Each structure stands twice: as C-alpha cells, then as structure tokens.
Amino acid sequence: MTTPFIRCENITHGYFRGGHQLEVLSSLTLSVESGDFVALMGPSGSGKSTLLNLIAGLEKPHAGDITIGGIDITSLDEQTLAAWRAATLGFVFQFYNLIPVLTAHDNVALPLMLTPLSRKERNQRAAAALEIVDLTDRAKHKPTELSGGQQQRVAIARALVTDPRLLVCDEPTGDLDRASATETLQLLKMLNTDFDKTIFMVTHDPEAASYAHTVWHMDKGNLRDRQKRAVA
Amino acid sequence: MKEVSSLLLMFLKLFLARPGSGVIIVFGVAGLTAIVTSLFAVSTAFEGALASTGQPDRALLLRAGSTSEINGNVALNQYEIVRDMAGLLRLQDKGVASRETYVTANLRMKNSSKEATLPLRGVEAAAFTVRPEVSIVSGATFDAGKYELIAGVKAAQTFAGLEVGQTIRIRGQEYLVRGHFSAEGGANETELWMDERLLAATLGRGETFSSIIVRLESAREFESFQAQLAADRRLTLSAYRESSFYEDLAGPTTSMIQTLGLLVGIIMSIGALAAGVNSMQAALESRTREIATLRALGFGRVPVLTAVLAECAVLSLIGAGAALVGVFVLLDGQTLSTVAASTTSGTQVAFEFDITGESLAIAGLTALSLGVLGGLMPGIAAIRRPIPQALRG
Ligand SMILES: Nc1ncnc2c1ncn2[C@@H]1O[C@H](COP(=O)(O)OP(=O)(O)OP(=O)(O)O)[C@@H](O)[C@H]1O
Ligand SMILES: [Mg+2]
C-alpha cells in the first residue's frame, strides 16, 4: 500500500464560543490518495469547512497531525506554512475572492509574485492558465465586469497557475447557477484527470459530488461513510 | 521586494477604489505638516534675525529709564562726552559712536492697500562705521542736508514706492530714495535711513536726539563701560548690550512662539495620529477579505504589513506634499515684522519665512513617522486576523 497524499491523524479542533469550548472535530482520521477527487458533504455546521481549512494550513488543529505530501504541516511555523501553501495549494472559494481592483490576468498572475519567475514568465503562465479556463478574451476585465461563473473560472486559473499538487475548494458552486456550476465542475474534473491535481472539495450539492471519485459524508464532526466511485 | 511592491501597488489601487474615511490620514498629515513647517519657519526666521542684528560688542545708549529708542530725547552734549569715554573702539582718535534720531513712518505695503509702520532713522556717517555689516547694495547713500533717504532691502521689498530714484512722501515731506542697503539680514534692513540733523530739525527736535550706538573695543568691555556711564554725573543714559537688547525685545515673542508651537504641535500630533490610526483602521477593515485572500495564497505577514506601512508612508507624503505647496505659496518670502506686536517699544525685528531644505526635511520626517505610526497598529491587527473567517469578509 502506498502512503496516502493527505493523512489526517486523530485531529481535534474546535472554537471558543460563548465562554466554553465548542468541539467541532474530535479525533478525526482521514486519508486521501494522490490524484483523488474528494467531495466532502454534510449538513451545515457539521465541520466541513473546518476540516478543509486545517488541510489547507489556514488553521492548526488543537491536537493531531496532518501530513501532506510527506510534510507534517502542523509542525511548520507561520512563515514556512505560508510558503508551503504558495507552493503546494490552489484555493477555490465559494465567493471567488478575486482582488476587485486587479484585472483577470493580474489576479491570475498574483500567486506567481511569490515565485522567482521573471515578469515575462509570469505573464506567459498567467495567459496560459487563462487559456485553460477559456477566458483569454477577458484577460483585461476587472472582476465586476465578469459573471459569477467567469469569476470562478478566473479563480480556478489563479489556483492552477503555480501548478500545485492539491486544489482545495470550499463550495465552489455554492454561488453559481446550474450552467455555470456544471462548467466549473467540468473544469475541476479536467484538472483532476488531465493535470493530475488532487482535489479536496466541500459541497452541499449532490450534483457536484457526483463529479468526485470519493465522497465523504460528515455529521457533527465525524466522517460517517465513504462512497468510492469507479473512475469514469 | 517584488511581492512588497506589487502589494503596495495593489493596496494603493484598493485605497483609490474605496478611499472612504481613509483620506483622513492624508488630511491629518497635511494639517500637521502645515503647522509644523510654519512654526519652524517662524522660529528659525526669528532666531536668524536676532542673531544677525544684535552684536555683543555694540552698546545701545538710551535716556535713563527708557527702554526704547523711540522715547529718545537725549541732550546733544551727551554725545560729545560719550565719544571720549574709555572702552570705545577708536578710529583716528575718535570713539566710534553714532548719534541717531528715531521715529516711525507709515507707508503703504506693496501687496495690499494697507499701511504699515516702519522705522525712519536719522544717522550720520558714523552709523556705517558702527555697523560694518551695513552696505549700499544699489544706488548711493543720501547726501547730508538733503531730503533724501536710503531704504533697507526688506523695507524696499515690503513697502511700495521705495525704488531707487522714486520720491516718497513721509510725514508731509517729499524724500528722494537714493539707494538700498543691506545689513546681513539684521533688523536695520526694515528701516529707512536719512540725515540725522535734518530729521531732528524737521521734527523740531534740534537740541536732542534719540540714541547713541557705540562700538566697544571688545565685547568684554561692556560691563566696565556700563559702570563708567553710571558713575559719570553729567550723563543721564543707560547702556544695553545690543545683542541682549534685541533678545529681550523679541525674546518673549520668540519663546511664546516656541512654547505655543510645541504645545500646538503636540496636540496636533496626537490628534493627527488618532485620526490616522482610525483612518487606516477603517481602510484596512474594508479590505479584510483581500488581505485574507492574499495570506491564503501564501503572502506572508511581514510583506503584507510592510506594504501597509509603505502605503501609509505614500499617503502621508502626498498629504505632506500638498501641505508644503500650500505653505510655500502662502508664506515663502513673506516678510513679517514685529511692528504690530511691539508698537509701544517702537523697535522692530523683521523676519522672513523661508521654506528651507531643513524645514522640508522636518516636514517630510514628521509626515512619514506619523503615517507609519498611524498604520502600525491597524496593520498589525489586520495581519493577525484568523484567515478563515476573514476570507468570508
Ligand atoms: N471561527 C469560528 N469561531 C467560532 N465558531 C466557529 C468558527 N468557525 C466555525 N465555527 C463553528 O464550528 C462549526 C463548524 O463550522 P464549519 O464552518 O466547519 O461548518 P460547515 O460544515 O462548513 O458548515 P456550512 O455547510 O454551513 O459551511 C459550526 O458550529 C460553526 O458555527
Ligand atoms: Mg462551510
């Protein structure tokens, strides 16, 4: 058996609220194989985003270890963790989180500022990423001049421009109409199959989950059951 | 560097897109800079005028009990006695002493229709020997016995009708302006000079004059000279060291300006700092989401904070620049004098606002430190917010 790409071991996490500790995840263990497309489903408040944020290194668990690509990210300091995110992860958020004052092209090129690439190389890469999401003709547009679906595609281009191994997506279709959602999901699926990206996606949408190979159901901080689909 | 500069550019764009209350930092800094620069210009100009007017080796002799040249009324015989006293610098066996008559004149100012007061000083040739810093810079000196005068360069700058060759009416008499003189920035530059005996006669004071200025062998002679003067029963004069006379005259004003300036400066700084902090707080809160996004993407806390502070510095410098332009346009080269402030004493110290490199540097530094300080706390708060919640805005 190969070592999994993502390994969460006995992670416990919670929030301090109303004067007492609210435990969201307790002793959760989870593995994700490299190249998998995982959908995490479950009722609101069950802890899906919490788990995603821990895997993405945006928060540290109160207990337990998270190892991704052989690196124990819970042991990294703030600065190293930021550099690790820049190198390993691409983010796709429900509300796109594009920088409103930057053009689509500049939004996509943004993560490349953290690389040693020259300006020319950065521009070439950003253009290539925009081409993958089929938005070359919108490169000079600001986010407000784009539809929700187009903004999400720009966000996907931004997520893949650094060629990370892992994409984390929190409700990527949560704010989109059906057609745009389908487009987005097809794009994610293509990135998984053609570009070999491992994808960890939180969603409410069974339709979205149907694009994944592995679907986990979460309830009150526990992973209830897992469905493994045959790769289509 | 690249990441900081791209962040700075982005932050400035974000600022422009949502200036909101963020512009207060610009105004706060502008106000503070304007005040600091003006106060600084006033006090340096003041000090400059003082330093260049009063010489420690010169003594001003006034009628006993008088504190100002304008109250004059010294009998003619006193002059001859003083000239022979020990301790005076001697040239060709004569003590260097200048007998002077001092009155005020009202003239129209150049850039307004208002009249202002300036001193009209009657002098003899000795006035130039006593004050080696005085020299004619254009035209020539007046002729004794004629209704002619020379104008100090600052007087000529400030008042209308004092060009060389013009005639001007003062106290009902026409005078020909023969020349301009400078005094190395000293207070004499705001005066008009003419023949002493002619002025005394015109005023109907033929038997008296106002003051004597003497040059001592050295600054150390002053005390013994003063003692000699007091001991001589024939004399009814008090002596002031010229440098302390001008310091005393302008001293209260200077220290008042400085104390007031310091006080206003401190209050303004606190106010501007509070406004700056609030302003940046609001500006940064409006970009909570963008900052969280950047940090999620892997931008570190240090580059983000650095860019925030750099943004504050840029905004502050814009404020400071605007303020300096304003101050410059309003005040640079303006000559002010203490005429209005000290009409009772009748003696003026003129000073000029000069926006110097030094005041520019001080203004720039004040602005920068204020801006950076103002951005520090909100900036630190912004980078310390947990990313997950902030991502949702
Ligand atoms: N920063 C926080 N402070 C306090 N409580 C929090 C915080 N973040 C999450 N929670 C709480 O933790 C629990 C799990 O939240 P989480 O966001 O992981 O749920 P979720 O499964 O993603 O829900 P949804 O489907 O609504 O997004 C919820 O009860 C939530 O209110
Ligand atoms: Mg969630």
Side-chain angles (χ1 to χ4, degrees), chain A:
Chain A
M1 210 190 132
T2 53
T3 41
F5 178 54
I6 301 174
R7 174 83 188 153
C8 301
E9 222 165 318
N10 291 318
I11 51 174
T12 297
H13 197 64
Y15 300 97
F16 207 69
R17 210 167 55 177
H20 63 274
Q21 186 73 20
L22 170 87
E23 191 127 298
V24 178
L25 305 175
S26 46
S27 287
L28 181 140
T29 294
L30 165 86
S31 296
V32 176
E33 298 300 325
S34 182
D36 202 354
F37 186 162
V38 176
L40 181 60
M41 299 191 72
S44 186
S46 57
K48 305 182 296 294
S49 295
T50 304
L51 179 58
L52 179 136
N53 290 335
L54 291 173
I55 288 173
L58 296 179
E59 279 189 286
K60 283 195 179 179
H62 294 164
D65 289 320
I66 300 173
T67 308
I68 296 178
I71 295 167
D72 177 4
I73 63 165
T74 54
S75 67
L76 301 181
D77 64 40
E78 169 72 32
Q79 204 184 339
T80 322
L81 195 58
W84 173 83
R85 284 198 299 270
T88 321
L89 288 186
F91 281 97
V92 182
F93 306 101
Q94 179 174 358
F95 299 105
Y96 333 124
N97 287 59
L98 299 175
I99 307 295
V101 289
L102 299 184
T103 61
H105 175 277
D106 289 349
N107 263 292
V108 173
L110 195 54
L112 298 176
M113 289 294 169
L114 299 167
T115 65
L117 295 176
S118 71
R119 174 191 287 271
K120 194 174 158 213
E121 290 168 310
R122 296 198 301 268
N123 285 337
Q124 282 168 352
R125 287 241 204 155
L130 272 178
E131 199 175 331
I132 292 172
V133 301
D134 198 20
L135 279 177
T136 306
D137 56 335
R138 299 300 168 112
K140 295 222 148 48
H141 290 230
K142 296 268 175 70
T144 46
E145 299 157 1
L146 299 171
S147 72
Q150 288 169 331
Q151 289 188 59
Q152 195 60 301
R153 275 148 63 200
V154 173
I156 291 171
R158 178 179 67 185
L160 63 88
V161 75
T162 53
D163 197 22
R165 286 185 68 188
L166 175 62
L167 299 183
V168 289
C169 317
D170 197 346
E171 317 241 16
T173 59
D175 200 46
L176 298 178
D177 59 50
R178 194 73 268 161
S180 302
T182 306
E183 230 171 50
T184 301
L185 290 163
Q186 279 168 348
L187 201 51
L188 289 177
K189 186 174 171 181
M190 188 268 281
L191 292 176
N192 175 245
T193 49
D194 298 358
F195 290 81
D196 205 29
K197 305 294 176 208
T198 305
I199 297 180
F200 189 86
M201 174 177 75
V202 165
T203 185
H204 271 116
D205 178 7
E207 170 85 15
S210 72
Y211 283 79
H213 306 316
T214 307
V215 181
W216 284 99
H217 285 273
M218 182 172 248
D219 194 14
K220 294 189 185 117
N222 297 307
L223 290 175
R224 228 176 348 96
D225 61 305
R226 183 175 91 149
Q227 299 153 13
K228 190 103 185 162
R229 249 182 265 279
V231 177

